[in-house]
Amino acid sequence: MELIDTHCHLTFDDLACDIDSVIARSRAAGITEWTTIGTDLQENRKAIDLTERFENMYAAVAIHPHDAKTVTADTVQELKKLAQRRRVVAIGETGLDYHYNLSLHEDQRRVFAEHLKIAADLSMPVIIHCREAFGETMEILEEYPSGIKNIVFHCFSGSAEQAKIVLDKGYYISFTGVVTFKNAEKTRLAASVVPLDRLMLETDCPYMSPEPMRKQKVNEPALMIHTAKFLAELKGIDFADFAEAVTATSRAFFALPTTKPTNLTPPTSLR
Ligand SMILES: [Zn+2]
Ligand SMILES: [Zn+2]
C-alpha cells in the first residue's frame, strides 16, 4: 500500500526541524510520496530545495491568499520562474480566504487571477484554498483562460451541494483530518458524494491532526493513515482498494511519474 500526502507544509519549522524522522515515520506508515506546498517566495524556494533531498517528494508554489497584499509584479514574475523548476508539480495554494481576511478581498482576487494565468500558461494543475468564498472562487475560475491542467479544492469545508458543483466542473476535492472530527458531519456528507477518481487525501500538516491523534499538536504525514482508514470505512470500501484508487487519482492529478503500470485513464481536460 502506498499513499500520497497531496498537501503538506514540510518546510514549516515544526516539521523542518526534524524532517528526517518525519519522513521516516511517514514511510513506515505507508505514506511514501508528498507534495509540499510553498506559501511565499521564501517557503517556495525551501520547498523546492527539500524535494532535491527526498525521493518521491514534489513541490507546489504560490503566494498564500493571506499574503496577497504583499504581491507585486516582480513577485509574480519570480513565482513563474520557480514554477518551472524541476519537481514543481502544481501552482498552489491559491484562492480566497474570507474567513481570516488577512488581505483585502480586492488583493486576494487579483493575486488569485495571477496564479491562474501562470498555471494556464504553463499548463499546470492548481491547488485551491477557499474559505467562506465559494461563489466568488467559482466565478473567478470561470473567467481565466483555458489551459489549466487540473483543479483541486484542498481541505474541503463546503457542503455536499457545493461538492457536487465542484465535481460537475470536472474539478477534484481533497480532504484533511478534519473529516474525522466529531463536529464535521457536513464534511462527511460532502465526502460521501465524491467518487474515488476525484478524491485526494492530505494532512495540511503541521495543522489539524486527525482523530484519534487530534491531541498531537504537530500533525505530520504519518498521521494521514487515520484519515485514509476513516474515509475508506465511511465509504464502505476495502482499505487496500481505497488506497490504491486515491493514489492513482493523485498521481493522475499531478502527473507524477509512476514506476508501475496502472489501468488509469488519463485525466480528462477541464475544457
Ligand atoms: Zn489552505
Ligand atoms: Zn495548506
Side-chain angles (χ1 to χ4, degrees), residues 157-197:
S157 58
S159 64
E161 287 65 36
Q162 288 172 333
K164 284 180 196 158
I165 293 169
V166 169
L167 294 169
D168 279 348
K169 288 284 171 198
Y171 308 157
Y172 292 65
I173 292 179
S174 159
F175 292 98
T176 60
V178 166
V179 73
T180 68
F181 293 178
K182 254 203 184 83
N183 61 358
E185 193 53 36
K186 183 174 116 182
T187 307
R188 282 187 283 280
L189 288 171
S192 66
V193 306
V194 184
L196 296 190
D197 62 357

Side-chain angles (χ1 to χ4, degrees), residues 2-245:
E2 283 176 339
L3 287 166
I4 303 174
D5 185 347
T6 64
H7 187 120
C8 45
H9 298 282
L10 299 176
T11 58
F12 287 10
D13 289 347
D14 283 335
L15 295 165
C17 67
D18 192 25
I19 191 66
D20 290 306
S21 317
V22 165
I23 294 302
R25 284 194 293 272
S26 181
R27 286 196 175 119
I31 293 91
T32 55
E33 301 189 38
W34 312 265
T35 306
T36 188
I37 314 289
T39 49
D40 61 28
L41 287 181
Q42 196 192 351
E43 292 296 329
N44 290 327
R45 291 189 195 105
K46 281 202 245 170
I48 293 169
D49 287 347
L50 200 63
T51 64
E52 302 288 341
R53 280 189 51 200
F54 295 97
E55 208 186 332
N56 299 330
M57 189 182 288
Y58 305 92
V61 296
I63 311 297
H64 197 281
H66 290 341
D67 294 324
K69 57 180 175 288
T70 67
V71 174
T72 64
D74 284 350
T75 319
V76 174
Q77 214 174 21
E78 178 62 16
L79 188 65
K80 191 169 179 181
K81 263 191 225 157
L82 292 173
Q84 294 169 77
R85 293 276 300 273
R86 209 168 74 91
R87 300 181 85 143
V88 174
V89 293
I91 300 296
E93 53 189 297
T94 182
L96 303 174
D97 192 315
Y98 291 178
H99 178 74
Y100 288 107
N101 288 316
L102 298 186
S103 284
L104 290 175
H105 292 189
E106 196 186 320
D107 284 332
Q108 293 194 41
R109 283 193 294 264
R110 166 179 64 88
V111 169
F112 183 24
E114 293 287 4
H115 282 78
L116 296 177
K117 270 185 230 155
I118 293 175
D121 280 357
L122 302 177
S123 201
M124 291 176 80
V126 173
I127 300 163
I128 303 286
H129 171 106
C130 169
R131 281 200 74 182
E132 293 170 28
F134 185 75
E136 273 189 41
T137 301
M138 293 305 284
E139 271 170 35
I140 293 173
L141 285 172
E142 285 289 303
E143 284 167 20
Y144 68 85
S146 60
I148 294 177
K149 258 269 179 289
N150 288 311
I151 291 170
V152 62
F153 276 64
H154 109 91
C155 191
F156 193 74
S157 58
S159 64
E161 287 65 36
Q162 288 172 333
K164 284 180 196 158
I165 293 169
V166 169
L167 294 169
D168 279 348
K169 288 284 171 198
Y171 308 157
Y172 292 65
I173 292 179
S174 159
F175 292 98
T176 60
V178 166
V179 73
T180 68
F181 293 178
K182 254 203 184 83
N183 61 358
E185 193 53 36
K186 183 174 116 182
T187 307
R188 282 187 283 280
L189 288 171
S192 66
V193 306
V194 184
L196 296 190
D197 62 357
R198 299 288 193 81
L199 187 149
M200 302 202 287
L201 299 174
E202 59 168 303
T203 52
D204 205 10
C205 62
Y207 313 115
M208 292 183 296
S209 299
E211 292 291 3
M213 304 299 289
R214 200 171 169 184
K215 287 206 183 78
Q216 182 168 320
K217 236 187 95 208
V218 178
N219 190 12
E220 60 178 65
L223 300 190
M224 202 183 80
I225 195 72
H226 300 289
T227 309
K229 287 189 168 152
F230 183 92
L231 274 170
E233 205 174 308
L234 182 81
K235 287 184 163 291
I237 299 166
D238 172 71
F239 178 63
D241 294 343
F242 174 84
E244 194 181 333

